[in-house]
Amino acid sequence: MGLMDKIRGEFVDIIEWLDDTNTTLAWRFPRYDNEIKNGAELIVREGQQAVFVYRGQLADRYGPGHYTLTTENMPIMSTLQGWRHGFDSPFRSEVYFVNTRPVTDLRWGTPQPVTVRDPDFRMVQVRANGTTIVKVLDPAVFLRQVIGTESVVEMEQITDLLRRNIVLAFSDMVLASGLGAIDLQGRQVELSDKLREFVAQRVASFGLGVDAVTMTISLPEEIQQAMTRGVARGVEASGFADNVRDPNRYQQVQAADAMLAAAQNPAQGAVGAAMQAGMGVALGGQLAGAVQGGFAPRQPPPLPGQPQFHVDLNGQAAGPFPVDQLRQFVSSGQLTPRTNVWTDGMQAWAAAGSVPALQPLFAGPPPLPGTPPPMPPAG
């Protein structure tokens, strides 16, 4: 280093930070062995704050502006240095510039699903992701908790810290809301601002603030499929949810879907056609109310001990079906006294008309009161 460079390097005349990025959060002015002299110029640009640190202690802070460093505008440093009547000799101090502009497009997501207690589907695991806008809200706290002795702090250095706290805040928000999975997804735009509040509470201890949070909640595939089936049948979400609360009802809907799919399979030929016709009758009463604003009133499950029969439909075993459903098969002509049936306790398949439990299905109605008995045939 030449003589002139050495002379110019003895003192710091201008302290400033020319930041051309939007990802650097803090930068320490490279003082090296230079000293700050009385009357040095400090330039703090918009979106910056300058913090002086003397021997590990926070001293004076400066917002955007142009300052001439004297004892009058350095009260804390004057106290730490013991300047009673001003200072003439240069002094040493670390100067940190902190970026206070918002940093946008920080992406976050839940690495593991969050379990939600749902009134319709009981326990559901949901995932969420989105973006957030953060900024340094309190440079002094940020300096103590994050910067430490670092000369430069980039956004990527605290990204993992922020994401962990956002995920924890999401879990806290879900628990506090008390909403089920479907309601969370339906109100995710409204809940984004609530999530911002939870995130802000968590990151405030690092001197950070949150301007905005976006959130997209994803439900498990099986829940999405169940909702899609409900919409396809013209069922309101609330009406569909009422039915999935009942595990027996949900199983009936699943069984109906499976049987309808089998009936629509061309490979089954006549069997598929018979099952389609039979199921059309059997399920008509259960699903007819769905198109008119909700499922029909719930039917109680079969009474304990009530037999359920397998039915031979064109050489294919179907069922088991309760007796009440078999009555509908009789009405549609799918079940006759000669149709083979089987239930627990029977040694082999037998004609329905020979099974005592099914014989009432084929009996005609009794004669009306007061009707005379039929005349015997003429001899």
Side-chain angles (χ1 to χ4, degrees):
M1 182 172 60
L3 179 61
M4 294 304 298
D5 292 335
K6 183 176 181 181
I7 295 175
R8 284 196 298 268
E10 290 180 353
F11 307 121
V12 175
D13 293 322
I14 300 178
I15 305 172
E16 61 180 341
W17 178 29
L18 298 174
D19 179 28
D20 56 357
T21 73
N22 192 36
T23 58
T24 303
L25 298 180
W27 179 78
R28 184 174 62 198
F29 183 78
R31 178 180 54 80
Y32 301 111
D33 291 331
N34 300 329
E35 295 179 322
I36 302 173
K37 68 177 183 179
N38 186 15
E41 302 295 320
L42 172 65
I43 301 174
V44 183
R45 290 172 171 78
E46 292 294 333
Q48 297 178 354
Q49 280 202 24
V51 181
F52 281 71
V53 178
Y54 177 70
R55 294 183 178 179
Q57 299 185 61
L58 295 179
D60 301 282
R61 296 165 50 179
Y62 300 88
H66 188 176
Y67 306 89
T68 299
L69 299 179
T70 61
T71 54
E72 287 75 12
N73 57 20
M74 304 186 71
I76 300 178
M77 183 65 72
S78 298
T79 301
L80 295 176
Q81 295 272 20
W83 298 331
R84 298 183 180 180
H85 307 289
F87 68 98
D88 296 324
S89 61
F91 68 95
R92 290 188 175 185
S93 175
E94 295 178 332
V95 183
Y96 287 88
F97 286 88
V98 179
N99 178 10
T100 59
R101 297 191 305 271
V103 180
T104 61
D105 293 335
L106 170 65
R107 299 185 179 277
W108 65 275
T110 52
Q112 301 295 331
V114 176
T115 302
V116 177
R117 185 180 297 275
D118 188 87
D120 303 325
F121 300 97
R122 300 191 177 181
M123 307 300 289
V124 178
Q125 291 188 322
V126 302
R127 293 181 179 271
N129 60 77
T131 61
T132 184
I133 300 176
V134 299
K135 65 180 180 181
V136 178
L137 200 61
D138 191 331
V141 176
F142 186 73
L143 181 65
R144 286 194 297 264
Q145 300 296 328
V146 179
I147 299 176
T149 59
E150 297 284 342
S151 59
V152 179
V153 177
E154 299 288 347
M155 186 65 191
E156 62 182 14
Q157 295 177 244
I158 65 169
T159 296
D160 289 341
L161 171 69
L162 288 171
R163 285 173 176 165
R164 285 197 303 269
N165 280 275
I166 294 174
V167 171
L168 292 173
F170 173 74
S171 299
D172 294 342
M173 186 272 294
V174 169
L175 181 63
S177 70
L179 297 175
I182 296 179
D183 290 332
L184 283 173
Q185 190 182 54
R187 299 170 56 183
Q188 56 191 354
V189 175
E190 170 191 346
L191 293 173
S192 294
D193 191 60
K194 182 64 65 175
L195 177 60
R196 185 196 62 79
E197 297 176 4
F198 277 85
V199 176
Q201 293 174 5
R202 283 189 165 272
V203 302
S205 59
F206 302 103
L208 298 171
V210 181
D211 283 356
V213 176
T214 64
M215 174 178 61
T216 301
I217 298 177
S218 302
L219 300 181
E221 183 65 24
E222 56 271 21
I223 304 299
Q224 294 281 11
Q225 292 177 357
M227 294 173 60
T228 301
R229 287 200 303 271
V231 172
R233 293 170 185 159
V235 184
E236 295 291 340
S238 59
F240 177 75
D242 289 340
N243 286 275
V244 239
R245 288 192 187 101
D246 184 353
N248 292 327
R249 178 62 173 169
Y250 185 61
Q251 292 174 359
Q252 291 175 8
V253 174
Q254 287 184 318
D257 289 340
M259 297 190 70
L260 284 175
Q264 294 169 358
N265 187 353
Q268 295 184 0
V271 176
M275 292 181 65
Q276 186 174 12
M279 287 307 298
V281 175
L283 298 177
Q286 298 179 14
L287 299 180
V291 183
Q292 303 178 9
F295 276 93
R298 299 180 192 174
Q299 298 296 329
L303 293 174
Q306 181 180 2
Q308 298 193 20
F309 289 85
H310 295 265
V311 180
D312 178 6
L313 295 178
N314 296 311
Q316 296 288 335
F321 305 108
V323 175
D324 289 341
Q325 190 168 343
L326 293 180
R327 181 175 290 107
Q328 299 175 9
F329 285 179
V330 173
S331 300
S332 65
Q334 300 300 310
L335 180 65
T336 69
R338 294 184 299 276
T339 304
N340 287 328
V341 297
W342 179 89
T343 187
D344 290 339
M346 295 177 58
Q347 295 183 354
W349 290 81
S354 66
V355 179
L358 301 181
Q359 289 174 354
L361 299 179
F362 308 107
L368 293 174
T371 303
M375 297 295 294

